[in-house]
Amino acid sequence: MMISFLQSEEWGHFQEQTGVKTRFLALSQGKVLVLVHQTPLGGFWYIPHADLSLETCMEIKALAKADKKVLFIRFESYAPLPQLPVGAYKVKNRQPAETVLLDLGKPVADIFASMHQKTRYSIRQAETKNFRVSWEKNTEVFHELMKETAARDNFAPHPREYYDKMVNCPLVEQVTVYLENKALASA
């Protein structure tokens, strides 16, 4: 079973530092990190990338009902649920719906060979144009690129302080791509 970092104790600690209350629910099939958000009408539980089944969703729903302060629960199961709990409906995910795991223990030549032809071509092009990849923690660069992306794609990014705290989280690494001295992308 794969556990997402969004279900880790470290992620819960980071969320607490940003002002979000957290709790771990002890369920019959393991524990689940719950982010407790407040609205003017009451609270809601957000459960990102948990390994959920219909049974665990029903168990969480019962705990939320018993709490009496929870307006709704937002589940984002790590794997698609075969059936939604009664009363639930699909909404757009907040987290990326799909991720790719790449085994970095393999030789670079094997990883490269397994890539799509256009991906290999793009990498070779980047190498000839002197792109540089830097593993550094630099929230200034990240925040500037995030502001540009948010303006272009019409969404509201987190405040700068959120990213400053995130960079200090032990789980986080930052990678930035430069062309000459201009940052083009950062994650």
Side-chain angles (χ1 to χ4, degrees):
M1 173 176 74
M2 174 60 100
I3 296 178
S4 169
F5 78 92
L6 296 174
Q7 281 294 308
S8 69
E9 289 184 25
E10 291 87 352
W11 188 249
H13 179 68
F14 165 71
Q15 290 296 321
E16 290 275 345
Q17 288 179 332
T18 66
V20 175
K21 291 184 180 173
T22 65
R23 61 189 285 196
F24 278 94
L25 300 179
L27 305 173
S28 56
Q29 296 181 357
K31 67 180 183 175
V32 173
L33 173 64
V34 177
L35 307 180
V36 182
H37 293 278
Q38 294 300 318
T39 72
L41 300 175
F44 73 93
W45 288 358
Y46 173 48
I47 303 170
H49 279 211
D51 189 16
L52 301 174
S53 65
L54 181 58
E55 293 76 25
T56 55
C57 288
M58 297 309 292
E59 198 174 345
I60 294 166
K61 183 178 175 181
L63 291 169
K65 274 188 170 184
D67 187 288
K68 296 196 185 331
K69 296 177 187 170
V70 180
L71 296 172
F72 64 92
I73 308 164
R74 183 183 183 114
F75 297 99
E76 287 187 7
S77 183
Y78 195 69
L81 292 170
Q83 176 185 352
L84 294 177
V86 173
Y89 57 93
K90 288 183 91 62
V91 294
K92 186 177 176 183
N93 283 348
R94 292 178 71 186
Q95 303 299 331
E98 296 184 36
T99 57
V100 176
L101 297 177
L102 179 62
D103 181 0
L104 297 177
K106 292 181 180 179
V108 173
D110 292 350
I111 294 171
F112 202 67
S114 69
M115 292 178 181
H116 188 276
Q117 176 183 350
K118 288 195 71 122
T119 303
R120 290 192 302 265
Y121 174 79
S122 295
I123 291 170
R124 287 189 191 105
Q125 285 293 103
E127 289 173 341
T128 63
K129 294 187 183 331
N130 295 320
F131 281 81
R132 177 174 55 88
V133 176
S134 176
W135 291 85
E136 62 186 4
K137 291 192 174 198
N138 186 334
T139 53
E140 182 65 36
V141 166
F142 183 84
H143 191 65
E144 288 304 312
L145 289 168
M146 180 61 75
K147 285 192 313 190
E148 287 177 31
T149 304
R152 182 183 62 239
D153 295 345
N154 196 28
F155 69 89
H158 291 286
R160 167 75 187 265
E161 298 77 32
Y162 180 90
Y163 299 114
D164 289 341
K165 288 176 183 171
M166 183 182 284
V167 164
N168 291 319
C169 183
L171 290 176
V172 173
E173 291 190 43
Q174 180 182 351
V175 60
T176 305
V177 177
Y178 293 90
L179 177 57
E180 296 173 5
N181 289 324
K182 181 175 173 38
L184 301 180
S186 188

